[in-house]
């Protein structure tokens, strides 16, 4: 999920849910041309320049509807009068939509150029933690050699983190990535300070501090750790990548 963590002075507003989608608390949303109301920002298509309006923080359902997959509340859009009135709503204070309007609404925390957003990093699907790996041995910290099963790093856009061993607690970004004989060799212009052992545990995610390519899942509920950015990505400014705790990895970034 996502949350706004800094520069929150833009405040919040209430907006309707587009008729054909379900929105979730913690989701990045926007209102593009051709839609009535809010839809998920979604995964990037090509070098995407779409920007979110905000992060969903509440719905106007009187009775919360919990989603077990995302572990958060949701609300569905509606078309006919009957579907709009079928679910009891509560008043949305400060909205341009009156108390008597039965349209499904979400409250969003607005996002601007200086807004910092925190998002969970997962593997290929929401809720799937990044898998740690044991590298091949390397006599210097210039190299981290990984089996092909874990070979999805991207030169200049992947963050490696050592969870155990002599380099524990240290982050680095590889300058080059090479594949040969079922092994991917990640070479670091700025070395890890110690040699690499086969008993060490490491994790990595394809996002980096600074100007970074990034990709979200289809419903824009998390950052994906294994995208290779051959075609589809957003460009963001990343302030922090945190890979310390399994299942709680996150990134803090701004849209540019």
């Amino acid at each position: 999920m996502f949350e706004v963590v800094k520069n929150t002075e833009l405040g919040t507003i209430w907006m309707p849910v587009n008729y054909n989608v379900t929105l979730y608390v913690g989701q990045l949303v926007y209102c593009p041309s051709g839609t009535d109301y809010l839809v998920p920002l979604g995964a990037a298509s090509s070098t995407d320049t779409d920007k979110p309006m905000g992060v969903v923080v509440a719905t106007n359902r009187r009775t919360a509807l919990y989603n077990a997959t995302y572990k958060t509340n949701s609300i569905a859009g509606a078309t006919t009068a009957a579907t709009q009135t079928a679910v009891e709503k509560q008043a949305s204070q400060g909205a341009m939509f009156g108390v008597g309007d039965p349209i499904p609404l979400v409250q969003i925390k607005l996002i601007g150029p200086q807004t910092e957003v925190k998002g969970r990093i997962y593997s290929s699907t929401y809720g799937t933690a990044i898998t740690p790996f044991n590298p091949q041995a390397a006599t210097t910290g210039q190299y981290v050699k990984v089996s092909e099963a874990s070979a999805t790093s991207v030169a200049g856009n992947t963050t490696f983190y050592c969870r155990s061993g002599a380099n524990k607690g240290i982050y680095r970004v590889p300058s080059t990535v090479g594949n040969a004989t079922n092994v991917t060799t990640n070479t670091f212009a700025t070395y890890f300070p110690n040699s690499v052992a086969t008993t060490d545990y490491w994790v990595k995610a394809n996002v980096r501090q600074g100007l970074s390519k990034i990709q979200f899942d289809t419903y824009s509920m998390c950052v994906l750790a294994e995208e290779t950015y051959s075609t589809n990505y957003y460009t963001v400014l990343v302030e922090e990548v945190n890979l310390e705790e399994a299942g709680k990895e996150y990134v803090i970034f701004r849209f540019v």
Side-chain angles (χ1 to χ4, degrees):
M1 292 197 299
F2 293 91
E3 60 181 306
V4 174
V5 292
K6 291 183 182 178
N7 295 324
T8 60
E9 66 274 6
L10 292 174
T12 61
I13 61 172
W14 287 89
M15 286 188 66
V17 182
N18 202 63
Y19 71 94
N20 62 348
V21 301
T22 297
L23 296 185
Y24 302 88
V25 173
Q27 187 174 42
L28 290 167
V29 292
Y30 78 137
C31 191
S33 174
T35 65
D36 289 345
Y37 297 116
L38 288 172
V39 297
L41 180 65
S45 176
S46 188
T47 54
D48 211 322
T49 57
D50 289 332
K51 302 291 192 301
M53 284 196 67
V55 175
V56 177
V57 295
T59 81
N60 72 332
R61 285 183 60 103
R62 184 170 295 279
T63 302
L65 182 62
Y66 182 75
N67 181 274
T69 298
Y70 298 122
K71 298 178 174 59
T72 192
N73 292 332
S74 68
I75 189 169
T79 53
T80 66
T83 55
Q84 289 182 51
T85 57
V87 177
E88 187 178 6
K89 316 296 194 307
Q90 58 189 350
S92 49
Q93 299 298 320
M96 61 181 280
F97 298 88
V99 173
D101 189 339
I103 194 169
L105 298 169
V106 290
Q107 186 182 38
I108 62 171
K109 187 165 285 188
L110 294 168
I111 291 175
Q114 302 305 316
T115 304
E116 296 170 28
V117 178
K118 179 180 178 181
R120 286 289 183 87
I121 305 173
Y122 289 119
S123 188
S124 56
T125 57
Y126 186 92
T128 303
I130 300 169
T131 303
F133 64 90
N134 298 115
Q136 291 190 3
T139 55
T140 74
Q142 184 181 9
Y143 306 105
V144 175
K145 298 181 180 182
V146 186
S147 68
E148 279 297 316
S150 305
T152 56
S153 46
V154 179
N157 210 97
T158 296
T159 299
F160 279 72
Y161 178 74
C162 185
R163 283 188 177 163
S164 71
N167 292 298
K168 182 179 179 180
I170 297 174
Y171 294 91
R172 293 290 186 268
V173 174
S175 56
T176 62
V177 177
N179 298 287
T181 319
N182 296 322
V183 172
T184 296
T185 300
N186 301 274
T187 304
F188 298 83
T190 302
Y191 294 15
F192 282 93
N194 302 294
S195 60
V196 175
T198 58
T199 54
D200 296 346
Y201 276 97
W202 299 69
V203 289
K204 60 188 180 66
N206 292 351
V207 59
R208 49 106 16 109
Q209 193 177 43
L211 194 64
S212 178
K213 295 175 182 178
I214 200 170
Q215 180 64 301
F216 308 130
D217 67 319
T218 302
Y219 293 100
S220 51
M221 291 293 289
C222 69
V223 175
L224 298 178
E226 298 175 6
E227 293 296 305
T228 55
Y229 310 117
S230 57
T231 53
N232 303 323
Y233 57 88
Y234 294 99
T235 300
V236 297
L237 280 171
V238 172
E239 298 193 7
E240 179 186 356
V241 180
N242 189 305
L243 304 178
E244 295 176 9
E245 189 172 354
K248 296 184 179 180
E249 297 89 346
Y250 66 83
V251 57
I252 294 176
F253 62 95
R254 291 187 286 119
F255 286 90
V256 296

